[in-house]
């Protein structure tokens, strides 16, 4: 199976989700894009997730669901707090590498 074939199901899922929820938008950050990764196609932003890159598009009165390692969630939660998102609107789900083995 080629890398493209592995990526296609995710692409279709994203398109279906976006077409059924007019208010939903998906953004992807790659901390370190690979040599064959294409910005705008495979990912939107390079580096650590910085929400100020999409600040104008985030509705601060909606709920935010964050999953990942503790350090990542703390980083995102702090950014949402700085944007005046209430704690009651932030939902965290801790994951770790062993969850995927």
């Amino acid at each position: 199976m080629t890398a493209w074939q592995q990526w296609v199901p995710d692409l279709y899922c994203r398109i279906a989700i976006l077409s059924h929820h007019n208010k939903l938008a998906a953004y992807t950050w790659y901390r370190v894009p690979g040599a064959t990764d294409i910005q705008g196609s495979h990912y939107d932003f390079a580096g650590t997730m910085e929400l100020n890159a999409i600040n104008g598009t985030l509705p601060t009165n909606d709920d935010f669901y964050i999953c990942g390692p503790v350090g990542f969630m703390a980083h995102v939660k702090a950014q949402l707090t700085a944007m005046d998102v209430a704690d009651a609107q932030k939902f965290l789900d801790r994951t770790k590498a062993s969850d995927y083995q």
Side-chain angles (χ1 to χ4, degrees):
M1 180 178 293
T2 67
W4 171 249
Q5 289 169 321
Q6 292 173 343
W7 196 77
V8 168
D10 181 52
L11 174 67
Y12 288 144
C13 181
R14 245 188 179 176
I15 291 170
I17 291 170
L18 293 174
S19 67
H20 287 96
H21 302 283
N22 294 332
K23 291 175 53 178
L24 182 65
Y27 301 96
T28 303
W29 275 261
Y30 278 12
R31 184 176 292 234
V32 180
T36 60
D37 294 324
I38 301 169
Q39 188 170 12
S41 179
H42 299 133
Y43 68 98
D44 299 298
F45 303 100
T48 303
M49 182 182 283
E50 298 296 336
L51 296 179
N52 63 353
I54 57 170
N55 193 7
T57 66
L58 291 176
T60 57
N61 59 342
D62 281 344
D63 293 337
F64 292 84
Y65 295 87
I66 308 159
C67 63
V70 172
F72 168 77
M73 290 191 304
H75 176 70
V76 175
K77 184 178 178 184
Q79 292 178 73
L80 291 172
T81 299
M83 295 166 52
D84 295 324
V85 174
D87 284 342
Q89 294 168 244
K90 300 172 207 160
F91 299 90
L92 309 177
D93 184 14
R94 181 177 182 264
T95 60
K96 54 190 181 296
S98 61
D99 292 342
Y100 301 103
Q101 295 176 358

